[in-house]
Amino acid sequence: MNNITVMGICKMLQQKNNFLVFMHENPDADAVGSCFALVYTLRKLGKTAYPVCCDRVPSSLSFMTEGKREFGIDDLPDGFIPEFLMSADVASPGQFGALKSYATKVNLALDHHATHERFAKYLYVEPKAGACAEIVYKIINNLLSGNIPEEIASLLYAGLAADTGGFRYANTTPITHKVAAKLIEHGANHAQICRNLFECKSKSALAAEAFAMEHVKYLCGGKITYVKINLADKHSHGFEDEDTYDVINVIRRADGVKIAIFAREKDDGSYKISTRSSCEIDVAKICGIFGGGGHSGAAGCSVAPDMVDSAVERIVKECGFND
Ligand SMILES: [Mn+2]
């Protein structure tokens, strides 16, 4: 549990040969982009490296992984013995999901979550970074002496663009823009990436968003929006979990909304509650009440089915809006 510098990280990586790089459960573009950029960089340096995730990469992000979606620990080649475990964008052991037992074996964690739980032997955590990809860029730029191939630049750009909502969210800094500019110089196809990330959607995802718009509740005089999607809704409308990825962003668009809350029933019957804040309210702190976390503007937690309504009630109350 020691902090380490970018130079220290590069030195350490150069000395090892066989790597695993973990993403968090329900991987997003920042997790996938950071992880694959690291894997490709290590391979370019002549090392063996594999990405790992407990969940499938959503089909909407398979443009980042050459169409492949399964990166389970069982998919590793026979006889491969990793000597160095890394994680990218993973804030807590719980975020390893079914691979939670690996958390304490991680040698190096790279992350930008303020709620990072320091599970790894070495860590580089920068809560001010707009995306984990911003941190990974610094490392890769160093390892490759500034010669970042287009493929790696595109992966990092996707992570950066996704976590900052296309450079619109409050976590976007001058550094985010400078890194993005560098990545475009290295050939990142920004227009195609943004089209893939923000515009192209499956028809079932659009249907899930329409369902959310139809069923959203406006609370506290319209300052909070809330929608719940349960298993019966998912089955009757044919939504996959990944179709609901943008629901939280859709319901926060209405004029005057400060906080958005989305509760989704998972296949095991528990509920994943996602929250977004576009004001000074820190939703990571509020989700922490239920063992969750994230960023001040975007956070989540999981609760048992009989707890979901009271948990949402408590989240609403914690926001402190009068009525
Ligand atoms: Mn991230």
Side-chain angles (χ1 to χ4, degrees):
M1 285 175 281
N2 301 298
N3 294 313
I4 184 168
T5 61
V6 169
M7 289 304 285
I9 290 170
C10 293
K11 238 184 179 169
M12 197 150 49
L13 298 183
Q14 270 152 348
Q15 285 163 3
K16 305 286 176 189
N17 284 304
N18 296 314
F19 296 86
L20 288 182
V21 186
F22 287 82
M23 299 168 252
H24 55 69
E25 58 181 347
N26 304 314
D28 58 14
D30 188 28
V32 174
S34 297
C35 170
F36 277 75
L38 283 164
V39 165
Y40 291 159
T41 299
L42 291 166
R43 288 181 186 169
K44 240 186 113 51
L45 296 173
K47 299 167 188 302
T48 308
Y50 295 102
V52 183
C53 189
C54 62
D55 290 324
R56 293 208 301 177
V57 168
S59 59
S60 58
L61 296 181
S62 62
F63 74 94
M64 298 175 71
T65 59
E66 295 167 336
K68 262 191 79 183
R69 298 179 58 197
E70 303 273 357
F71 301 96
I73 208 98
D74 301 330
D75 300 318
L76 295 172
D78 287 339
F80 173 71
I81 300 169
E83 58 173 340
F84 197 87
L85 274 56
M86 300 172 71
S87 66
D89 202 36
V90 185
S92 65
Q95 282 203 310
F96 285 80
L99 301 175
K100 193 178 171 181
S101 62
Y102 285 87
T104 52
K105 297 180 192 135
V106 172
N107 301 86
L108 172 66
L110 307 174
D111 189 25
H112 69 129
H113 292 87
T115 55
H116 186 89
E117 287 181 19
R118 304 176 73 90
F119 50 85
K121 186 160 182 227
Y122 291 98
L123 44 116
Y124 188 95
V125 181
E126 204 174 284
K128 285 209 167 68
C132 189
E134 212 174 289
I135 297 167
V136 173
Y137 166 80
K138 290 198 271 192
I139 295 164
I140 288 178
N141 194 43
N142 203 292
L143 282 172
L144 299 179
S145 312
N147 298 314
I148 301 179
E150 179 190 323
E151 185 186 30
I152 292 173
S154 288
L155 285 164
L156 292 175
Y157 190 92
L160 212 52
D163 260 28
T164 57
F167 308 97
R168 289 173 301 153
Y169 299 158
N171 59 355
T172 309
T173 68
I175 294 170
T176 318
H177 281 289
K178 280 177 190 158
V179 172
K182 283 281 177 203
L183 294 171
I184 293 174
E185 279 176 14
H186 288 301
N189 190 346
H190 56 95
Q192 188 60 48
I193 291 166
C194 288
R195 164 93 181 127
N196 284 335
L197 285 177
F198 304 118
E199 293 176 12
C200 286
K201 287 194 177 172
S202 66
K203 291 184 184 70
S204 51
L206 291 171
E209 290 172 18
F211 177 92
M213 288 307 286
E214 196 181 327
H215 294 87
V216 67
K217 289 194 174 91
Y218 290 89
L219 311 172
C220 300
K223 291 192 186 70
I224 299 181
T225 46
Y226 168 52
V227 72
K228 178 160 84 174
I229 296 183
N230 59 32
L231 282 176
D233 298 327
K234 288 202 293 195
H235 292 151
S236 63
H237 292 81
F239 305 151
E240 299 284 336
D241 281 346
E242 63 181 72
D243 294 328
T244 63
Y245 181 78
D246 255 343
V247 160
I248 189 74
N249 297 319
V250 166
I251 62 168
R252 70 196 284 252
R253 292 219 302 247
D255 194 15
V257 172
K258 306 280 187 209
I259 300 285
I261 307 168
F262 169 42
R264 161 175 73 81
E265 190 174 4
K266 298 197 279 194
D267 291 335
D268 64 6
S270 67
Y271 275 84
K272 167 84 206 250
I273 299 178
S274 303
T275 55
R276 295 289 184 274
S277 167
S278 52
C279 61
E280 64 292 337
I281 293 168
D282 181 343
V283 283
K285 227 179 236 172
I286 296 177
C287 288
I289 297 170
F290 303 98
H295 305 286
S296 62
C301 56
S302 290
V303 298
D306 56 327
M307 283 282 297
V308 62
D309 293 331
S310 63
V312 170
E313 228 169 86
R314 175 81 190 273
I315 291 169
V316 169
K317 199 171 146 233
E318 288 293 328
C319 290
F321 297 123
N322 306 321
D323 181 21

